[in-house]
Amino acid sequence: MAKTITKFRIFTIADYIEEQKWLEEQHKKGWKLVKFIPPFLFKFEECEPDNFYYQLDFKNEKASSDYIGIFNDYGWEYCGSCFGWNYFRKPEKLVENESEKEIFSDNESRLDMISHIYKTRMIPLLVVFLTIIIPNVVRGINNHSGAGRNAIYYMFLVLFIVYVMIIGYCGRKLNKIKNDNKK
């Protein structure tokens, strides 16, 4: 039985490029990705250190056999899915030119994925923020008595801060990726 390790690493929805690079580094060190343990654990199996390209595609659904088959036809091995992301890897030795290092053949496909991330992840996050978190923080602020500011108020205040940080960080980063692919 092969040796395995589990590593903790946090990536946001906008950090998929960094996640790909990190997975490539792990493979170069002799650890190939075998499983995800949501939300932030990656299980690796010992392997021969080798150069592999890792690519992520966001579909917000489990990969179908047809979808996986298309990528297999181009040398991409399916590694699994987690939180709507589908993970693929390809050995460097199968890559003959720059365009084969990525699963996307054009900028339009990359922009479609970013658009899909906005529609399925960022907009729902914003809706929760605007309809649940902000009203509860405002309600707590408007309640002038000390007794009204209970643990629930402080919980929503913390959530408010976390949501502002996540929406700001992911929004800026996804916009940068989007603008870089429009060139």
Side-chain angles (χ1 to χ4, degrees):
M1 182 178 226
K3 182 179 173 186
T4 62
I5 60 169
T6 302
K7 294 187 176 189
F8 174 85
R9 189 72 188 257
I10 297 174
F11 292 103
T12 70
I13 193 94
D15 294 329
Y16 68 93
I17 294 170
E18 290 84 353
E19 187 172 353
Q20 291 170 171
K21 289 179 179 156
W22 181 72
L23 292 169
E24 290 169 2
E25 290 170 12
Q26 299 310 304
H27 211 114
K28 284 179 187 174
K29 293 176 183 176
W31 296 103
K32 70 177 181 178
L33 179 67
V34 292
K35 185 179 178 183
F36 309 95
I37 305 165
F40 306 118
L41 297 175
F42 295 80
K43 187 173 183 179
F44 295 91
E45 183 176 280
E46 192 171 32
C47 65
E48 285 296 317
D50 203 352
N51 291 328
F52 270 72
Y53 293 104
Y54 279 78
Q55 290 284 290
L56 281 69
D57 185 23
F58 184 76
K59 290 292 183 196
N60 203 31
E61 60 189 39
K62 193 155 176 76
S64 69
S65 58
D66 290 340
Y67 170 79
I68 294 169
I70 291 169
F71 287 102
N72 283 338
D73 290 345
Y74 290 96
W76 291 98
E77 175 190 358
Y78 177 69
C79 304
S81 296
C82 187
F83 292 129
W85 288 101
N86 294 299
Y87 291 70
F88 297 91
R89 71 174 154 242
K90 183 181 200 177
E92 187 179 78
K93 62 187 170 214
L94 294 181
V95 174
E96 295 178 9
N97 59 54
E98 281 295 311
S99 66
E100 293 180 357
K101 292 180 180 180
E102 295 186 38
I103 57 176
F104 297 111
S105 59
D106 59 7
N107 284 344
E108 186 177 330
S109 300
R110 289 181 197 92
L111 291 169
D112 286 345
M113 185 180 80
I114 298 296
S115 176
H116 190 60
I117 291 170
Y118 271 111
K119 290 175 190 170
T120 61
R121 292 293 169 88
M122 293 299 289
I123 290 174
L125 192 66
L126 197 56
V127 168
V128 168
F129 180 70
L130 294 172
T131 62
I132 297 171
I133 296 177
I134 288 180
N136 279 291
V137 169
V138 171
R139 189 176 304 121
I141 291 170
N142 289 337
N143 188 342
H144 298 291
S145 69
R149 291 197 177 165
N150 55 22
I152 300 292
Y153 164 73
Y154 291 108
M155 178 192 75
F156 277 107
L157 190 58
V158 168
L159 284 173
F160 175 84
I161 294 166
V162 169
Y163 267 67
V164 166
M165 291 172 57
I166 290 172
I167 291 169
Y169 174 81
C170 291
R172 277 191 310 276
K173 194 157 189 181
L174 288 170
N175 277 336
K176 182 182 180 332
I177 295 168
K178 186 177 176 181
N179 290 334
D180 289 348
N181 282 290
K182 284 184 178 179
K183 296 176 183 175

